[in-house]
Amino acid sequence: MFRFIVNGKECQSEKDIRLIDYLRDELRLTSVKEGCSEGACGTCIIIVDGKKVKACVQKLSKMDGKCITTVEGLSSREKEVYAYCFAEAGAVQCGFCIPGMVISAKVLLDETLTPSREDVKKAIRGNICRCTGYQKIEDAILMAAEYFRENREIPQKEPDHLLVSERFPRVDAREKVMGTGQFVDDIVLPDMIYAKALRSRYPRARINKIDLSKAVMHPDCVAIYTAKDVPNNKHGHLKKDWDVMIAEGDITRYIGDALALVVSEHKETLDEILDLIQVDDTELPPVTSPRDALKEDAPKIHEGGNLLTKEVLKRGDADAAIAASKYVVSHVYQVPFTDHAFMEPECAIAFREGEKLHLYTASQSIYDEQHEIAHILNLPADSVISETKLVGGGFGGKEDMSVQHHAALAAWLTGRPVKVKFSREESIRCHVKRHAMEMEFTTACDENGCLTGMKAVIYSDTGAYASLGGPVLQRACTHAAGPYNYHDVDITGYGVYTNNIPAGAYRGFGVTQSCFATECNINELAKLAGITPWEIRYRNAIRPGQVLPNGQIASPDTALVETLEAVKEVYESSPYAGIASCMKNSGVGVGIPDTGRCNLEIRDGRVHILTSAACMGQGIGTTATHIVCQTLGIKPSLTVYERGNTQRTPDSGTSTASRQTLFMGEAARRAALKLKEALEAAGSLEALEGQLFTGEYLGKTDPMGSEKPNPVSHVAYGYATQVVILDEEGKMEKVVAAHDAGTVINPQSAEGQIEGGVVMGLGYGLTEDFPLADGYPTLKYGRLGLLRSTDVPPVEVIFVNSGHPAEMAYGAKGIGEICSVPTAPACQNAYYRLDGTFRTKLPLDGTFYRKPKK
């Protein structure tokens, strides 16, 4: 018997299980999050006898006679201070890492109430945050130290009204700081069982026979399902080419392919049952290179061949323009797969409600999920209820089916609630990655450094399944020439199937890759032309009324020039500063129907904000609150933000393409205008009890290949210029990020998005990789190269605008993706200036962060 104290209460257990399982499953202490299960991420950090301990790698036997404290066990004063300071500083985004950060903060502040920022950085080094870039978390801890040190009271006053661009704490901050907000894995339902898939041993293999006879005899086995049990065995976000499970006689396409789905009474015995399944398979040589996959004699990964899509964007005569140019630069660039590394592993719970199926999820679109699961189960769409809980980060990686369809299938067939949760290892092996690309870029300019033309050929590795491979390639092509005023371009892209782990949506959505190539070429052109990298961008920067390389006329809210002017002094004052600029679309665009929706319902004298727009940490509920309060002139306590539920909230599309702030925001404004008119007539919210006010915004664009002289590719673009500054040793000193995001709706959230995006971009440029050896991943979570607090330099955020905001959503433009786009080429330029080496591959080799191997 092991005896110990948890949050002041005596506890005991006969089982020597993992500490995290006891705290979460037995005591229901949901502040203790399981992020990696290998002691690398810090989401499960607790205090044991005054010291920080990672609960996922400790057994109960090690706790015998000790005192354990979790966030739930903090004093009332501590809870109030941490909740207020983390919210006020903007330190909370997805929130999954935050309780662990609070524990690290407490241990530090128990030792000293006068910590330096460096002390704070060291204190949270064991805690990874993928959203914030750490800076605002550090601010929050320093603020908390001040409140404790000076015994300051927590401000209680609420603003009489809330306007756009005012500082305002996130609406969901407190529940995330305290660990009381529900992520899917925090939920336990009566009679709930558990499911897990058996995965392929090989990237490519013929499955001859799946023998379940021994596995079904296990006493905990509820059921085992295979492909023959699935009504429709193909699914896919846009193209239905992904097998729910690989059937006997078929060939696997990557190591994450599911062969069978085991359902057990207890999660602890899932692996025991899986080990009893016998698979007779024949290993086949995998195809892991896009160029090899396009060869005539390459094995066909899908019946239609290995070319998923080909995209072409041509304007003018690029060959003639390049031939007539003074300077021409041509390079082949290579960028790797990278893992999203969101803090919350994928998890879903499904249960039947009569003839309907209800799903608790953490995805980026409950309606996409509803439609895909309805298709798989051969049900009407309205028979599937998809309800979102808190989402612990996404960055594009939670758009595709991962665990949801398996939970749904098992629940539908067993009639019992079923939870499916990825381990971090499963997440790394199964969910989509950022597309690896090989890119041949040629860029030319005249003797004055004015850009004249460019050609590009892009090979994008979409892996085993399509996912979002088509749209990612489109965006890589439409942005490949950069945000500059020249018009002779010839861009061809190939999206290719391989036996690698599938690639899908990832923050930057293809633009991150092509921006690296085009910006590096421009840096070298500047050297040839005898001008600075800043000057070549300033001369060529798109200005309102000019025509972008993709043919679209730059709108009055275009402010690329202003971003360059904002960083001129800091760039020119540092000998080892690197610079890069970019643009990034808001909205799906290219002629695809794209609608944002938000409804407002009056209940109990308050305005309930209803939208399915998923929040993965970007703060969509706070954005909606700002816009509704601005339009109605009311205080935020008169609003209630409800999370998405397909039975209650309207379809606002996927949280992707930096679209929801603009699309949902404009829909919220339109709904609020209707409510405002009714309120003026009725006199009070109480008089409108039960009424519903709908808002919808449709973004109209033109398709790829449009013959219009100036097609509208996207309804809006954000612009950015970033500067990365190195010291003489090649270590980062500072990053300055100047962004045109239009009207900034919530300053804390927008700053935090940029800071976090910059850090993700620094990782892409300097440290992150996801190497595959013949289709097999070679790294665990702790070795992905994720930057920690002590690795990150100060990030200065500068917001600019043109002074002519668009009407939609009070002039807001998306910020979630663009903040990661120009960082890697800015790093390349900085190192080029430092050591004269022109690098064409990411992550950059031979730097302070990836030193040459001896």
Side-chain angles (χ1 to χ4, degrees):
M1 183 73 69
F2 310 113
R3 294 180 173 85
F4 41 87
I5 295 173
V6 180
N7 296 332
K9 296 181 181 180
E10 293 185 4
C11 299
Q12 61 183 34
S13 174
E14 294 182 352
K15 298 178 181 178
D16 191 14
I17 60 176
R18 290 191 311 161
L19 175 57
I20 191 171
D21 292 329
Y22 181 83
L23 296 175
R24 287 184 58 82
D25 298 343
E26 301 295 327
L27 302 185
R28 303 298 304 135
L29 297 174
T30 56
S31 74
V32 187
K33 306 297 184 187
E34 184 162 22
C36 70
S37 305
E38 60 185 61
C41 75
T43 60
C44 67
I45 284 180
I46 58 171
I47 301 173
V48 178
D49 288 349
K51 296 181 179 180
K52 291 190 293 185
V53 168
K54 294 176 179 178
C56 71
V57 292
Q58 296 290 333
K59 289 291 190 74
L60 284 187
S61 55
K62 297 289 186 180
M63 299 297 110
D64 199 27
K66 301 188 181 215
C67 292
I68 298 169
T69 304
T70 70
V71 168
E72 289 87 347
L74 300 184
S75 69
S76 297
R77 169 66 175 170
E78 287 174 317
K79 289 179 179 179
E80 288 303 310
V81 169
Y82 285 122
Y84 174 78
C85 292
F86 272 72
E88 186 66 21
V92 183
Q93 290 190 30
C94 87
F96 198 81
C97 74
I98 296 300
M101 292 286 185
V102 169
I103 291 295
S104 290
K106 173 179 168 55
V107 172
L108 172 66
L109 300 188
D110 281 351
E111 295 176 356
T112 175
L113 290 179
T114 56
S116 66
R117 186 172 291 270
E118 193 60 33
D119 292 333
V120 174
K121 282 180 173 290
K122 290 178 181 177
I124 62 172
R125 176 173 170 74
N127 303 73
I128 292 176
C129 177
R130 197 62 168 155
C131 294
T132 69
Y134 304 106
Q135 195 159 289
K136 286 193 168 11
I137 293 174
E138 295 160 16
D139 293 342
I141 296 171
L142 291 169
M143 187 189 303
E146 182 180 334
Y147 269 77
F148 288 130
R149 185 172 66 244
E150 300 178 4
N151 199 26
R152 293 176 58 182
E153 292 187 8
I154 303 298
Q156 302 294 333
K157 186 179 179 181
E158 180 195 20
D160 292 331
H161 57 270
L162 177 63
L163 301 178
V164 162
S165 299
E166 286 187 335
R167 295 185 71 83
F168 178 67
R170 291 177 61 110
V171 298
D172 56 2
R174 183 181 178 86
E175 62 179 329
K176 290 178 175 179
V177 176
M178 293 294 99
T180 57
Q182 281 192 330
F183 293 89
V184 178
D185 193 37
D186 296 333
I187 299 170
V188 177
L189 299 180
D191 201 32
M192 189 168 75
I193 49 182
Y194 302 85
K196 184 176 180 179
L198 178 70
R199 306 284 172 176
S200 175
R201 293 192 296 170
Y202 307 110
R204 184 167 176 262
R206 184 175 299 279
I207 305 302
N208 303 313
K209 178 72 175 177
I210 303 173
D211 185 353
L212 307 178
S213 57
K214 291 183 179 179
V216 296
M217 299 300 293
H218 191 286
D220 274 0
C221 182
V222 176
I224 305 178
Y225 301 113
T226 60
K228 64 178 181 291
D229 299 303
V230 187
N232 287 314
N233 197 42
K234 291 285 188 179
H235 70 96
H237 196 59
L238 295 180
K239 184 174 183 178
K240 297 192 186 309
D241 63 350
W242 202 325
D243 297 83
V244 177
M245 286 180 274
I246 301 293
E248 289 182 342
D250 286 348
I251 296 174
T252 65
R253 299 184 180 90
Y254 86 114
I255 56 164
D257 272 330
L259 308 181
L261 184 66
V262 164
V263 188
S264 174
E265 291 286 352
H266 303 99
K267 64 179 180 179
E268 295 81 7
T269 55
L270 282 168
D271 287 335
E272 291 178 14
I273 302 170
L274 286 168
D275 288 342
L276 294 173
I277 298 176
Q278 295 179 311
V279 178
D280 175 10
D281 51 14
T282 303
E283 184 180 6
L284 300 171
V287 183
T288 58
S289 161
R291 287 185 183 265
D292 289 345
L294 291 177
K295 293 178 180 177
E296 287 187 9
D297 61 347
K300 287 186 177 181
I301 296 168
H302 291 272
E303 287 185 9
N306 296 340
L307 181 64
L308 167 65
T309 185
K310 179 181 178 181
E311 297 291 349
V312 177
L313 193 157
K314 289 187 178 182
R315 292 185 66 82
D317 189 339
D319 288 325
I322 292 169
S325 299
K326 175 70 173 178
Y327 302 111
V328 179
V329 169
S330 186
H331 287 288
V332 175
Y333 296 91
Q334 292 178 310
V335 293
F337 292 108
T338 49
D339 191 82
H340 301 76
F342 33 71
M343 302 309 298
E344 175 205 26
E346 298 88 335
C347 186
I349 295 174
F351 53 97
R352 290 190 69 155
E353 292 182 338
E355 293 305 305
K356 292 192 174 185
L357 182 81
H358 199 133
L359 194 79
Y360 292 151
T361 181
S363 75
Q364 293 182 220
S365 174
I366 56 173
Y367 277 92
D368 289 345
E369 199 169 59
Q370 178 194 51
H371 295 147
E372 287 202 53
I373 289 172
H375 168 77
I376 290 167
L377 297 180
N378 199 25
L379 296 172
D382 61 4
S383 292
V384 177
I385 304 163
S386 187
E387 177 181 350
T388 190
K389 299 299 179 180
L390 293 177
V391 183
F395 316 112
K398 291 180 179 175
E399 290 192 43
D400 297 272
M401 294 292 100
S402 56
V403 292
Q404 308 96 308
H405 56 324
H406 286 164
L409 176 69
W412 187 253
L413 295 178
T414 64
R416 293 173 65 181
V418 176
K419 177 184 283 188
V420 180
K421 177 191 173 185
F422 272 171
S423 66
R424 182 59 69 173
E425 181 185 7
E426 285 178 283
S427 179
I428 285 175
R429 291 170 67 91
C430 297
H431 87 247
V432 299
K433 312 302 173 195
R434 190 202 309 263
H435 287 77
M437 293 187 187
E438 182 179 303
M439 304 172 288
E440 303 170 4
F441 269 59
T442 298
T443 317
C445 70
D446 65 17
E447 63 277 8
N448 297 314
C450 295
L451 298 175
T452 53
M454 66 87 68
K455 289 189 70 172
V457 180
I458 301 172
Y459 293 90
S460 176
D461 188 344
T462 200
Y465 297 101
S467 181
L468 277 296
V472 166
L473 183 63
Q474 282 184 339
R475 228 58 74 240
C477 292
T478 57
H479 291 63
Y484 304 111
N485 182 35
Y486 67 119
H487 312 109
D488 291 287
V489 300
D490 184 343
I491 303 159
T492 302
Y494 300 93
V496 187
Y497 286 118
T498 66
N499 289 121
N500 291 321
I501 295 174
Y506 197 119
R507 191 178 208 169
F509 208 78
V511 183
T512 323
Q513 293 94 314
S514 60
C515 176
F516 176 67
T518 206
E519 289 295 296
C520 289
N521 270 10
I522 287 172
N523 287 336
E524 195 168 18
L525 281 175
K527 187 174 182 180
L528 293 172
I531 59 177
T532 68
W534 183 91
E535 183 62 36
I536 196 171
R537 287 171 173 79
Y538 194 73
R539 292 183 186 184
N540 292 282
I542 195 71
R543 289 156 168 87
Q546 293 180 342
V547 179
L548 287 160
N550 62 21
Q552 184 163 343
I553 298 172
S555 54
D557 63 343
T558 298
L560 177 61
V561 167
E562 287 83 350
T563 69
L564 284 159
E565 291 171 343
V567 303
K568 184 176 190 291
E569 183 177 350
V570 70
Y571 176 74
E572 293 185 344
S573 64
S574 174
Y576 308 128
I579 190 170
S581 299
C582 72
M583 65 180 187
K584 181 66 179 72
N585 60 291
S586 292
V588 176
V590 292
I592 299 171
D594 199 4
T595 304
R597 296 184 181 90
C598 182
N599 295 343
L600 303 177
E601 184 183 49
I602 313 305
R603 296 175 64 187
D604 301 322
R606 300 171 78 188
V607 181
H608 283 243
I609 300 170
L610 308 175
T611 179
S612 70
C615 178
M616 308 93 67
Q618 80 276 39
I620 203 68
T622 308
T623 295
T625 302
H626 270 280
I627 289 174
V628 169
C629 289
Q630 163 93 26
T631 308
L632 296 177
I634 61 174
K635 56 187 178 181
S637 61
L638 290 176
T639 67
V640 177
Y641 166 65
E642 294 191 20
R643 295 194 179 101
N645 183 318
T646 53
Q647 279 197 313
R648 180 158 172 75
T649 58
D651 185 357
S652 191
T654 312
S655 284
T656 189
S658 295
R659 60 182 295 277
Q660 289 293 8
T661 294
L662 191 160
F663 280 73
M664 182 285 304
E666 174 60 11
R669 188 181 74 90
R670 295 183 179 190
L673 286 172
K674 293 179 182 178
L675 171 55
K676 183 179 182 180
E677 184 178 356
L679 187 58
E680 289 171 351
S684 69
L685 288 172
E686 288 77 8
L688 299 174
E689 181 68 22
Q691 293 193 35
L692 185 72
F693 301 86
T694 62
E696 181 175 294
Y697 167 65
L698 171 64
K700 296 181 180 180
T701 55
D702 299 309
M704 290 279 288
S706 170
E707 295 183 0
K708 291 183 178 180
N710 298 109
V712 176
S713 181
H714 296 92
V715 297
Y717 291 99
Y719 297 88
T721 301
Q722 292 183 5
V723 173
V724 174
I725 302 171
L726 306 177
D727 65 17
E728 292 181 353
E729 295 181 354
K731 185 177 180 181
M732 292 181 288
E733 285 189 342
K734 185 178 182 180
V735 179
V736 178
H739 279 260
D740 162 29
T743 301
V744 175
I745 300 296
N746 181 276
Q748 293 108 308
S749 292
E751 289 167 2
Q753 283 280 287
I754 293 174
E755 291 166 6
V758 164
V759 172
M760 191 174 282
L762 292 173
Y764 186 49
L766 298 172
T767 59
E768 290 186 41
D769 200 358
F770 191 82
L772 293 169
D774 295 325
Y776 298 91
T778 61
L779 299 179
K780 290 187 175 182
Y781 185 86
R783 295 182 57 226
L784 292 175
L786 309 179
L787 293 172
R788 294 179 180 269
S789 54
T790 50
D791 304 317
V792 175
V795 179
E796 179 185 351
V797 176
I798 303 172
F799 289 113
V800 303
N801 61 68
S802 70
H804 301 282
E807 179 182 338
M808 293 92 71
Y810 291 107
K813 296 188 280 191
I815 196 66
E817 292 185 284
I818 192 172
C819 45
S820 285
V821 172
T823 322
C827 291
Q828 190 267 12
N829 182 225
Y831 277 100
Y832 187 30
R833 295 184 72 193
L834 176 69
D835 60 20
T837 301
F838 191 88
R839 297 166 174 86
T840 58
K841 184 180 179 182
L842 293 180
L844 302 173
D845 283 325
T847 71
F848 181 90
Y849 302 91
R850 282 174 66 91
K851 295 180 180 178
K853 296 179 181 178
K854 295 181 180 180

